Amino acid sequence: MTEPASDRVLSRLMGLHPKMIDLSLDRVHTLLARLGHPERALPPVIHVAGTNGKGSLIAFLRAMLTQAGYRVHAATSPHLVWFHERITLAGEPIGEPDLLALLEEAEAANAGEPITFFEITTCAAFLAFACTPGDVLLLETGLGGRLDATNVVPHPALTAITPIDLDHQQYLGPDIATIAGEKAGILKPGVPCVAAPQAPDAARVLTATAERVGAPLHLGGRDWTANVAGDGSTVTVRDGGGAHTYPAPELLGPYQLDNAAHAAACAHASPGLALDETAIAAGLRQARWPGRMQRLTAGAVAERLPGGWELWLDGGHNPGAGRALAGAVQRWREADPERPVHVVVGMLTSKDPGAFLAPLAPHVASVTAVPVPGEPASFTATDLAAHAERAGTARTGWAGDVSAAVDALAAHEAGPARVLICGSLYLAGSVLRADAAHA
């Protein structure tokens, strides 16, 4: 795909960004009013907040609903390769002509006033969803929940909150309890909320908020539970409707079993959506979500590795994601202790490299730091390598880019081995863009 014309509009919209991010819904309400309130003409909405697993949860729900015959819209962020990925209409990414027209309409209505990129593109997405026939909208928050640009739907059909962890502390607060308060801002009176199991501080905040707002809360570990078979082949979800056993998802990583169970719990609690056990099971098996424990077997980077090596890609970038990746790497090592795992990592300066890398450190043979391409807020490779060393990794190094890092590993390491690229969705996107250009 050549560079789309919509990218020119997106670049102009970036220029409207306020000098400082002040989380507020005022700009969104103003623009939506000028656009004729498309947020009031949406299909039933499932609103998803949380720190980790939002995209995977939406991928599972989208696959389940599609299997049941629904036309499913979805709003997710960020994108990996093209902006069009953020707006899915009836199961397909928005087309270039439609996206261009919607962005220009939102730009004209905003009339040059300050507005964040996410706010104005969310308003354009609402226009798309309101104008295109659909049965359900899966709506992912961007940052937080209470003051997130998506939090303008007055009465969603369901809300869902994935595991809450430390991330975006400069905007959401310094600790998990404060962050949970922001995420809980999507709860609405009378609207069921299905929450994943949470840390105690987050669980207390969600419970108190649900009681205050009057939102029925189905909290993982309390109101529903999940048990994974010893061989990992099935997951059993127990809730008020009994026990339901489903096949393990195709999405890789042990944490995806938790996301799958959360999706099944959401399906059971969704009022007005007829999701039978067959649709749930098929959706769990068929869900796909690029950039999350994705194995790359071809492409610009994979082809640089010797035969027998494996290349994996994950956009995880916060402490919870580090723990989840550590669990996946540990299972790799237990199953194949002779195959070392080498990490190639790039991160933005808004993240905490030590907290992300510390869980991984005991399980990997080396960490090579790289800059995130095209991101001014990226750690330099040398600074990130110093963080990796302080996190306790056995061996650290740095390279100018992912290709150079992979080349160095292939030249100096005895194989076969696994290489895991991680630390940033923007880094993951750069790898996938390189693969798309290489194809």
Side-chain angles (χ1 to χ4, degrees), residues 355-434:
F356 173 73
L357 291 168
L360 282 162
H363 308 292
V364 302
S366 73
V367 171
T368 304
V370 298
V372 180
E375 293 295 331
S378 169
F379 276 103
T380 66
T382 52
D383 285 348
L384 187 55
H387 281 283
E389 186 172 1
R390 288 194 292 271
T393 53
R395 193 172 86 245
T396 59
W398 62 273
D401 56 34
V402 167
S403 294
V406 168
D407 287 348
L409 289 170
H412 299 107
E413 300 297 327
R418 288 187 174 97
V419 178
L420 171 62
I421 303 170
C422 60
S424 170
L425 282 167
Y426 299 100
L427 182 66
S430 73
V431 172
L432 295 178
R433 279 192 297 275

Side-chain angles (χ1 to χ4, degrees), residues 53-56 76-80 85 140 250-253 255-256 259 288-295 312-317 325 420 425 428 432:
K54 296 191 298 294
S56 296
T76 58
S77 65
H79 60 278
L80 289 175
E85 302 164 27
E140 179 186 359
E250 292 292 328
L251 289 181
L252 298 174
Y255 53 90
Q256 292 294 7
N259 293 331
R288 299 291 182 270
W289 194 229
R292 282 75 173 178
M293 283 306 286
Q294 179 182 1
R295 185 175 178 186
W312 294 78
L313 183 68
D314 192 277
H317 51 260
L325 285 177
L420 171 62
L425 282 167
L432 295 178

Side-chain angles (χ1 to χ4, degrees), residues 11 33 38 157 159 186 238-239 244 257 275 293-294 302 334 353 360 375 394 405:
S11 295
T159 63
I186 70 167
R238 291 180 173 82
D239 54 23
H244 315 264
L257 289 161
L275 283 167
M293 283 306 286
Q294 179 182 1
E334 290 171 351
L360 282 162
E375 293 295 331

Side-chain angles (χ1 to χ4, degrees), residues 280-333:
I280 294 172
L284 292 179
R285 293 289 292 176
Q286 296 183 15
R288 299 291 182 270
W289 194 229
R292 282 75 173 178
M293 283 306 286
Q294 179 182 1
R295 185 175 178 186
L296 304 179
T297 57
V301 180
E303 291 175 5
R304 308 179 86 93
L305 289 172
W309 286 53
E310 293 180 8
L311 180 66
W312 294 78
L313 183 68
D314 192 277
H317 51 260
N318 56 41
R323 292 192 295 273
L325 285 177
V329 173
Q330 184 176 8
R331 290 197 181 189
W332 278 343
R333 300 289 291 127

